[in-house]
Amino acid sequence: MLRRLAIISSVLLVTIAGVTGCSSGPAAGTATPTPTPTKPPAPSQAVIDWFNAVSSADTDLQTQRDAAQIAALYVVSKHPTREQIAQSITVLRTDRATSLITFQKVPTGVVKGGDRLTAAYGKAITTALTDIDQILGTANDPSTSDDSAMSLPGYASDALRAIAPSGIDLPGLIAHDTTLHAAYRQAHNCTGTPLTTATRPAPPM
């Protein structure tokens, strides 16, 4: 009887030791391995080229807007006729139409959200062209006096300066995407401050 109890006690001790060994944690002093952060994929050349194209078009648009404001002041200082004012506004419109074509030629389907951004630029430019057409119509109207026409170049300049993408812009596009941000930094044309979203004021007509 004593021998049988000894055997049962031995079996219980071995079982308990096995269970304890399986449930024990890591040995003291053993460090928990730190997961290696995932590196974002490098941007493709096509994405970098896309940012170059959009940034270049944005810079040209801003340069033309500033030039239009200076041109408007210069024209008015010369006390032009209504016909001369109409001609100056026509030139401004032609340049803006060229800007629209530039954005429309940017490749589509390259950058996530990119098509929406170029469409926002295009919509803003189209709106400005519509406003300028109305201003130009006033300048070409024979009933418009030369004195009344003097304010029209300034109105046209204001319409151009109101151009800005609405709802999305370059900073917003790259804000939450590390790969796009890297592409933007690698694009050599992305050196200036791009236009940002803005509430477009009503044209002063």
Side-chain angles (χ1 to χ4, degrees), residues 7 9 17 61 63 79 83 85 87 106 130-131 146-147 153 162 166 179-181:
I7 293 173
S9 298
L61 179 59
T63 300
H79 302 285
E83 289 79 8
I85 289 175
Q87 178 59 33
V106 173
T130 300
D131 292 341
D146 290 349
D147 289 340
S166 178
T179 301
L180 294 185
H181 187 270

Side-chain angles (χ1 to χ4, degrees), residues 14 22 29 35 55 60 86 90 93 98 103 115 139 145 155-156 168 187 190:
V14 171
C22 292
S55 294
D60 289 345
T90 299
R93 191 198 185 287
T98 301
F103 278 104
D115 294 353
S145 67
Y155 290 161
I168 186 172
C190 300

Side-chain angles (χ1 to χ4, degrees), residues 63-151:
T63 300
Q64 292 171 3
R65 292 192 324 162
D66 294 339
Q69 186 176 33
I70 296 173
L73 295 173
Y74 174 79
V75 168
V76 172
S77 70
K78 297 299 181 180
H79 302 285
T81 64
R82 178 177 53 79
E83 289 79 8
Q84 290 171 328
I85 289 175
Q87 178 59 33
S88 68
I89 295 174
T90 299
V91 171
L92 296 181
R93 191 198 185 287
T94 300
D95 290 341
R96 295 303 76 69
T98 301
S99 296
L100 177 60
I101 293 173
T102 299
F103 278 104
Q104 291 174 337
K105 286 184 176 180
V106 173
T108 59
V110 178
V111 171
K112 181 180 179 181
D115 294 353
R116 181 183 165 209
L117 175 60
T118 54
Y121 274 105
K123 182 178 179 180
I125 296 172
T126 300
T127 300
L129 290 174
T130 300
D131 292 341
I132 293 175
D133 285 340
Q134 295 176 355
I135 297 169
L136 188 57
T138 302
N140 285 322
D141 188 344
S143 65
T144 302
S145 67
D146 290 349
D147 289 340
S148 297
M150 291 294 286
S151 60

Side-chain angles (χ1 to χ4, degrees), residues 8-65:
I8 293 173
S9 298
S10 299
V11 171
L12 290 174
L13 289 174
V14 171
T15 302
I16 292 172
V19 172
T20 304
C22 292
S23 62
S24 62
T30 302
T32 302
T34 303
T36 303
T38 303
K39 186 177 180 181
S44 67
Q45 188 60 49
V47 173
I48 296 174
D49 291 343
W50 185 92
F51 277 104
N52 269 323
V54 173
S55 294
S56 178
D58 179 284
T59 299
D60 289 345
L61 179 59
Q62 293 192 60
T63 300
Q64 292 171 3
R65 292 192 324 162

